[in-house]
Amino acid sequence: MSRAQTSWPDRPIRLIVPWPPGGSTDTVGRIFQPKLQEILGKPVVIENRGGASGAIGAGEAARAEPDGYTWVLVYDTQATNESVMRLPFKTMEAFTPVSLVGTGPLALVAHQTTPYRSYKDIVEAAKKAPETLNFATSGVGGLAHVATTLLQQQGGYKLVHVPYRGGGPATQDAVAGHVPLFMSNVVVIKQHIRAGTLRPVGVTTRGESRHVEGVKSFAQQGAGDFEAPTWWALLGRAGTPQPIVDKMYDALAKALADPVVRQKIEEQGADVTASTPDACARFLQSEIAKWGKVIRDNNIQADS
């Protein structure tokens, strides 16, 4: 083992968050970042590099030196972007998975001024007036977009997609009532659900979720075996020495096991799901394959 590996880290570490401030990835990252840097003994500096549904920040991480000083906290769009866009890299080739950080439900919410109180209400409205009812997401080709597309495909109705440049901006417009429906992970909208501004009508877990109490899943409301949990994962540059990957995994696992960190993440509407690098890799491969098929079947492209 080289001296560089045994002394890692000996300077500050970059943690790229490929989304704007205020979105779920930024929120989750800023919860565990203080504990992670405490464990590693060096600053962990978050850099927000938003744009292109996470692809710009991920692209920057893919160009970084594989020295253990640049990591990226990705969102579920990491599994859909390479089927939606023409990227200069492939996730499983450009990165080495470290760990899942968390999973959680997506929720379809309606603004409090709308009449929609169940998934059935939305399906009926969309069938009466096809392609007139708008729904927002954090970006084209993300899990929220692709999952809602699959729901439409299975249910035989059509909505109009309104993509934003991240969960933060989308939430602002949804709360203001500028768009009637919003499919989002619960992390960025939980406070607005609690306040009653946004009314949840369905969640993407197989059954009900403790993070959105009293709301049935789409599967429970007639959408077959539909399931589409959201997730966050930490990746390093491919070629990063395995001893460094192992050290980062150990540090992250300890940070996520901290009771305060765990509680804060779960209060936001996600479940801490620390996993081994191998388990994270298998999960990513499965998600890329599953949602890639939906994207191809529905011809979803970055300009759609």
Side-chain angles (χ1 to χ4, degrees):
M1 189 184 299
S2 71
R3 182 181 177 282
Q5 293 176 32
T6 55
S7 64
W8 182 91
D10 60 8
R11 63 179 190 269
I13 293 167
R14 299 169 72 203
L15 175 57
I16 294 176
V17 171
W19 294 89
S24 67
T25 311
D26 182 66
T27 299
V28 170
R30 291 183 189 277
I31 290 174
F32 72 73
Q33 174 256 353
K35 193 66 180 180
L36 182 64
Q37 67 181 9
E38 176 187 317
I39 293 167
L40 289 172
K42 294 294 178 182
V44 175
V45 181
I46 290 179
E47 293 185 14
N48 293 94
R49 297 296 175 96
S53 293
I56 290 176
E60 175 155 343
R63 293 188 296 270
E65 290 295 319
D67 56 7
Y69 290 96
T70 299
W71 306 82
V72 60
L73 180 64
V74 298
Y75 182 45
D76 51 48
T77 55
Q78 194 64 37
T80 57
N81 279 349
E82 64 188 66
S83 296
V84 172
M85 307 175 187
R86 292 181 179 177
L87 298 178
F89 64 87
K90 288 190 176 295
T91 295
M92 303 310 295
E93 296 173 2
F95 298 105
T96 181
V98 178
S99 176
L100 280 172
V101 171
T103 60
L106 293 171
L108 182 62
V109 293
H111 191 264
Q112 62 180 348
T113 59
T114 69
Y116 314 119
R117 298 185 177 277
S118 69
Y119 179 53
K120 181 182 177 183
D121 291 342
I122 290 167
V123 174
E124 289 178 348
K127 286 184 175 180
K128 284 180 183 177
E131 298 187 70
T132 61
L133 185 55
N134 295 345
F135 77 98
T137 73
S138 60
V140 172
L143 183 61
H145 177 202
V146 177
T148 310
T149 299
L150 183 57
L151 280 172
Q152 294 172 74
Q153 183 182 3
Q154 292 179 342
Y157 62 95
K158 290 219 169 173
L159 304 172
V160 178
H161 183 216
V162 182
Y164 285 78
R165 289 177 59 86
T171 301
Q172 290 175 5
D173 268 15
V175 169
H178 297 320
V179 64
L181 302 173
F182 180 27
M183 180 71 97
S184 170
N185 65 73
V186 175
V187 172
V188 296
I189 56 174
K190 191 164 188 176
Q191 62 178 315
H192 305 294
I193 292 174
R194 285 175 176 160
T197 309
L198 299 176
R199 179 190 305 129
V201 298
V203 292
T204 63
T205 40
R206 184 62 60 92
E208 292 184 31
S209 168
R210 66 190 177 96
H211 297 298
V212 194
E213 293 181 358
V215 178
K216 293 187 179 299
S217 69
F218 294 106
Q220 291 172 320
Q221 296 184 69
D225 61 352
F226 181 87
E227 185 178 18
T230 187
W231 52 269
W232 301 263
L234 184 70
L235 310 180
R237 182 73 173 88
T240 301
Q242 192 61 44
I244 292 178
V245 175
D246 292 342
K247 282 186 180 180
M248 177 57 91
Y249 164 71
D250 288 340
L252 179 63
K254 289 175 183 175
L256 294 176
D258 179 80
V260 175
V261 171
R262 179 178 291 270
Q263 181 180 357
K264 285 183 177 179
I265 290 177
E266 293 188 347
E267 283 176 351
Q268 295 295 323
D271 296 306
V272 173
T273 318
S275 66
T276 65
D278 285 346
C280 184
R282 289 193 299 272
F283 177 84
L284 285 172
Q285 288 172 326
S286 173
E287 288 289 287
I288 290 168
K290 174 181 177 178
W291 296 112
K293 183 178 187 305
V294 177
I295 290 163
R296 291 188 295 274
D297 287 349
N298 291 275
N299 194 32
I300 297 174
Q301 299 175 352
D303 58 354
S304 63

